[in-house]
Amino acid sequence: MGNFYIEDWFPLFMFASLGFLVFTGLPVAFVISGIGIAFGFLGMAYDVFSFIEFFNIVSRIWGGISENMVMVAVPMFIYMGTMLEKSGVAEDLLECLNMLLRKVPGGLALSVTLMGTIMAATTGIIGASVVMMTLLALPVMIRRNYDPSLATGTIAASGTLGILIPPSIMLVLMSDLLSISVGNLFLAAIFPGLLLASLYTVYIFVRCQINPSLAPPLPEAEAIHGKELAMMVMRSFLPPVFLIVLVLGSIFAGFATPTEAAGVGAVGATFLALVKGRLKWPVLKDVCERSALTGAMLFFLFAGATVFSYVFRSLGGDDLVIDLVQGAGLGSWGVLLLLMLIVFVLGFFFDWVEITLIVLPIFAPVIAQLDFGHHLDIGGIEASEAQILTWFAVLVAVNLQTSFLTPPFGFALFYLKGVAPKSISIQQIYKGIIPFVLLQVLGLIMVMYFPELALWMPNTLLE
């Protein structure tokens, strides 16, 4: 039996400390960076870390995150989504979709799903999306005698699509952590994101077709027809869709980098607010303040995660993780399934930011060494390490969708409950999200079993 040295287990103690301190309610950025600094000093006491290494952390923050031009896209995408929300563009879009789908079973619920899909392509701010759709749609759905569980589940699930469908802030962060192309990752996430939206749509349609009382149709007296409906589509549906196509199309066609496209999106969202006559000073001030605060919070988290991951690796964390995985003897698929289970369980207790910043840098080297045979070969071409990491990133992104919906710390559920009418109980919300969590797990299994869903588009467009 080998000798036991406590310093060899410092990386594991770092995780245990993180799990404990997150529940104290302290700001996560302070917790992550504080643990890294504390264990750095602890490592100095055991001669496994040197003080001079703290200076390497500073250079990694200022020479890595701060100089990464792709990260400039984050605050502009935040601004774009916030402006579309505050200017009333999203409200007009929901009303238009509701009129177009008024005769379809569960038409209003389907409208919420489609709006969530469209708005997902404008922002990755889940809290803003869920709150916005709750305020706009839930009172209307309750007034029209929709089943409360179906209504709340639809809003919560649709509001979380923004974390996966590009241009997603999470995907920008993942590309930086894994050192892969953000454009390729955007392409890889499109089909999986639309797959989840399609699963939601099919579920709502089938369930409301079987039991129409869950979602009564819009009264014909409130319907809009003919030229008036056409004008509504021109005014409320086409502008935001055109903006999304302009932003994503410029990235995928190679006309613009994600950073440049984010600037176009921010200007376009401001222009739409101006055209609608809603670009008032209080609106602009509120949008800028919220964008600045959200961006500052994210970059503070990036810096804290840099401290944590550097100390973790310096203390031998990478070797410890690889040794534990190899010692388990699970094989490549066993390791992948174990990692997916870990991410799923962490989603019950942590936000996507913490999971992404901690899990990806640690497990990416493990995934890159795994052999999946010919499972990832698209068109007979052997998958490269970058393609394996891209597929893994998409799997994690789909998996992290569940972190917003799973109690006890499903943030989308808290956002929804916080602004929902008092008649909506937390039990109804929990009941409503169960089918959608199962649909997300089904989507994860499909992307895992059919890697073409993630890899076909980047492989095809890069040929």
Side-chain angles (χ1 to χ4, degrees), residues 7-8 41 49 134 177 180 183 217 222 250 253 255 271 277 310 335 361 363 369 373 376 389 431:
E7 58 267 28
D8 293 338
F41 281 111
F49 191 88
T134 302
L177 292 173
I180 56 180
E222 299 181 22
S250 61
F255 296 141
F271 179 73
Y310 179 85
V335 170
F363 290 122
Q369 295 178 14
L376 301 181
L389 290 177
K431 179 183 175 183

Side-chain angles (χ1 to χ4, degrees), residues 53-84:
E53 290 185 81
F54 281 120
F55 291 91
N56 293 335
I57 297 174
V58 176
S59 64
R60 283 172 178 255
I61 294 174
W62 292 109
I65 298 171
S66 300
E67 290 189 358
N68 189 341
M69 292 302 297
V70 174
M71 301 303 287
V72 179
V74 171
M76 287 192 285
F77 280 137
I78 295 173
Y79 175 94
M80 174 182 168
T82 308
M83 178 59 77
L84 289 177

Side-chain angles (χ1 to χ4, degrees), residues 5 20 32 71 81 92 96 157 182 308 318:
Y5 298 102
F20 172 75
I32 295 176
M71 301 303 287
D92 294 343
C96 179
V182 64
F308 185 96
D318 286 357

Side-chain angles (χ1 to χ4, degrees), residues 290-419:
R290 289 179 57 183
S291 301
L293 289 173
T294 305
M297 180 268 293
L298 286 174
F299 277 89
F300 208 146
L301 282 168
F302 298 160
T306 301
V307 177
F308 185 96
S309 60
Y310 179 85
V311 175
F312 180 86
R313 289 180 172 180
S314 184
L315 294 177
D318 286 357
D319 295 333
L320 177 62
V321 170
I322 292 174
D323 290 343
L324 290 174
V325 169
Q326 290 177 345
L330 297 175
S332 296
W333 283 104
V335 170
L336 179 64
L337 292 173
L338 176 62
L339 295 184
M340 289 299 106
L341 179 61
I342 290 173
V343 172
F344 181 77
V345 173
L346 287 176
F348 282 78
F349 307 102
F350 299 103
D351 192 10
W352 70 267
V353 180
E354 295 96 84
I355 298 173
T356 303
L357 292 174
I358 302 304
V359 169
L360 284 189
I362 294 171
F363 290 122
V366 177
I367 291 295
Q369 295 178 14
L370 299 181
D371 181 15
F372 296 98
H374 298 290
H375 184 69
L376 301 181
D377 297 349
I378 309 298
I381 302 175
E382 184 178 355
S384 64
E385 179 178 319
Q387 290 171 318
I388 295 174
L389 290 177
T390 299
W391 177 60
F392 173 65
V394 172
L395 290 177
V396 173
V398 174
N399 200 340
L400 285 176
Q401 288 280 114
T402 63
S403 69
F404 290 94
L405 302 179
T406 46
F409 295 104
F411 289 93
L413 310 183
F414 291 142
Y415 296 141
L416 196 156
K417 177 59 180 172
V419 295

